[in-house]
Amino acid sequence: MGAYLGFDVLKYDIAYDGVTLGCISESMIDLEIEQFTEGIKFIQSFNPDYDPFNKEHRSLYNFQTIEKALDHFKIGRFKHNLVEVIIFDTLIGNGDRHQE
Protein backbone atom coordinates (compact mmCIF):
# COMPACT_ATOMS: atom_id res chain seq x y z
CA MET A 1 0.00 0.00 0.00
CA GLY A 2 1.21 3.49 -0.74
CA ALA A 3 0.10 7.02 -0.02
CA TYR A 4 -1.52 9.51 -2.36
CA LEU A 5 -2.35 12.98 -1.07
CA GLY A 6 -2.05 11.56 2.45
CA PHE A 7 -4.48 8.68 1.79
CA ASP A 8 -3.45 5.03 1.96
CA VAL A 9 -4.13 3.56 -1.48
CA LEU A 10 -3.40 0.27 -3.19
CA LYS A 11 -0.78 0.16 -5.91
CA TYR A 12 -2.35 -0.76 -9.24
CA ASP A 13 -0.41 -1.83 -12.30
CA ILE A 14 -1.56 -2.18 -15.87
CA ALA A 15 -1.89 -5.83 -16.87
CA TYR A 16 -2.10 -7.28 -20.37
CA ASP A 17 -2.25 -11.01 -21.13
CA GLY A 18 -2.01 -10.62 -24.89
CA VAL A 19 -5.79 -10.37 -25.25
CA THR A 20 -7.26 -8.43 -22.34
CA LEU A 21 -6.07 -5.14 -20.92
CA GLY A 22 -6.83 -4.50 -17.26
CA CYS A 23 -5.27 -3.72 -13.93
CA ILE A 24 -3.86 -5.81 -11.12
CA SER A 25 -3.15 -5.18 -7.45
CA GLU A 26 -2.51 -7.01 -4.23
CA SER A 27 -5.44 -7.75 -1.96
CA MET A 28 -6.42 -4.89 0.33
CA ILE A 29 -7.23 -7.22 3.21
CA ASP A 30 -5.28 -9.71 5.28
CA LEU A 31 -7.37 -12.87 5.00
CA GLU A 32 -5.80 -14.22 8.19
CA ILE A 33 -7.50 -11.55 10.32
CA GLU A 34 -10.00 -9.71 8.07
CA GLN A 35 -13.05 -10.43 5.96
CA PHE A 36 -14.37 -8.46 2.97
CA THR A 37 -18.08 -7.69 3.14
CA GLU A 38 -19.88 -5.54 0.58
CA GLY A 39 -21.56 -2.49 2.06
CA ILE A 40 -24.90 -3.52 0.60
CA LYS A 41 -25.03 -6.46 3.03
CA PHE A 42 -24.96 -4.05 5.99
CA ILE A 43 -27.56 -1.74 4.47
CA GLN A 44 -29.94 -4.59 3.61
CA SER A 45 -29.51 -6.18 7.04
CA PHE A 46 -30.23 -2.82 8.66
CA ASN A 47 -33.17 -2.12 6.31
CA PRO A 48 -34.46 -5.39 4.74
CA ASP A 49 -36.90 -3.39 2.57
CA TYR A 50 -34.03 -1.64 0.75
CA ASP A 51 -33.72 -2.93 -2.81
CA PRO A 52 -30.77 -1.46 -4.74
CA PHE A 53 -32.42 -2.42 -8.03
CA ASN A 54 -35.60 -0.48 -7.26
CA LYS A 55 -35.17 3.04 -8.69
CA GLU A 56 -37.54 4.44 -6.05
CA HIS A 57 -35.18 3.22 -3.31
CA ARG A 58 -32.08 4.95 -4.71
CA SER A 59 -32.71 8.04 -2.58
CA LEU A 60 -32.31 5.79 0.49
CA TYR A 61 -28.67 5.11 -0.47
CA ASN A 62 -27.03 8.08 1.20
CA PHE A 63 -24.55 8.97 3.91
CA GLN A 64 -27.20 9.05 6.63
CA THR A 65 -28.40 5.51 5.83
CA ILE A 66 -24.85 4.18 5.79
CA GLU A 67 -24.09 6.00 9.06
CA LYS A 68 -27.18 4.50 10.74
CA ALA A 69 -26.26 1.01 9.50
CA LEU A 70 -22.70 1.37 10.84
CA ASP A 71 -24.05 2.49 14.21
CA HIS A 72 -26.64 -0.30 14.24
CA PHE A 73 -23.91 -2.93 13.82
CA LYS A 74 -21.68 -1.15 16.35
CA ILE A 75 -19.01 -0.38 13.77
CA GLY A 76 -19.53 3.37 13.76
CA ARG A 77 -15.80 3.76 14.45
CA PHE A 78 -15.32 3.30 10.69
CA LYS A 79 -17.27 6.44 9.75
CA HIS A 80 -14.03 8.37 9.35
CA ASN A 81 -12.95 5.78 6.74
CA LEU A 82 -16.18 6.37 4.84
CA VAL A 83 -15.58 10.13 4.90
CA GLU A 84 -12.02 9.57 3.64
CA VAL A 85 -13.37 7.47 0.74
CA ILE A 86 -15.88 10.20 -0.16
CA ILE A 87 -13.16 12.88 -0.07
CA PHE A 88 -10.73 10.76 -2.08
CA ASP A 89 -13.40 9.94 -4.70
CA THR A 90 -14.14 13.66 -4.97
CA LEU A 91 -10.47 14.53 -5.44
CA ILE A 92 -9.92 11.95 -8.19
CA GLY A 93 -13.33 12.44 -9.83
CA ASN A 94 -14.58 8.90 -9.15
CA GLY A 95 -18.29 8.85 -9.91
CA ASP A 96 -18.59 5.06 -9.85
CA ARG A 97 -18.84 4.37 -6.11
CA HIS A 98 -21.89 2.27 -5.26
CA GLN A 99 -23.19 -0.08 -2.59
CA GLU A 100 -21.38 -3.08 -4.01
Side-chain angles (χ1 to χ4, degrees), residues 19-56:
V19 177
T20 306
L21 181 65
C23 64
I24 191 168
S25 72
E26 292 183 30
S27 177
M28 69 176 105
I29 61 172
D30 180 349
L31 294 174
E32 298 287 325
I33 59 172
E34 298 174 306
Q35 175 181 325
F36 178 79
T37 304
E38 293 178 340
I40 188 64
K41 301 295 184 199
F42 290 102
I43 294 170
Q44 287 180 310
S45 293
F46 170 68
N47 179 358
D49 295 328
Y50 176 73
D51 177 4
F53 301 106
N54 183 333
K55 290 182 182 182
E56 293 177 10

Side-chain angles (χ1 to χ4, degrees), residues 5 11 20 36 46 50 55 68 80 85 97:
L5 298 175
K11 180 181 181 225
T20 306
F36 178 79
F46 170 68
Y50 176 73
K55 290 182 182 182
K68 288 176 185 175
H80 73 279
V85 168
R97 182 75 56 189

Side-chain angles (χ1 to χ4, degrees), residues 31-90:
L31 294 174
E32 298 287 325
I33 59 172
E34 298 174 306
Q35 175 181 325
F36 178 79
T37 304
E38 293 178 340
I40 188 64
K41 301 295 184 199
F42 290 102
I43 294 170
Q44 287 180 310
S45 293
F46 170 68
N47 179 358
D49 295 328
Y50 176 73
D51 177 4
F53 301 106
N54 183 333
K55 290 182 182 182
E56 293 177 10
H57 289 191
R58 289 190 182 161
S59 65
L60 298 174
Y61 180 66
N62 56 45
F63 182 84
Q64 290 76 19
T65 299
I66 297 168
E67 182 179 38
K68 288 176 185 175
L70 291 173
D71 287 340
H72 175 79
F73 290 104
K74 302 193 181 353
I75 52 175
R77 66 186 180 277
F78 295 110
K79 286 182 216 174
H80 73 279
N81 298 102
L82 175 62
V83 172
E84 286 181 344
V85 168
I86 293 169
I87 292 170
F88 186 75
D89 282 349
T90 301

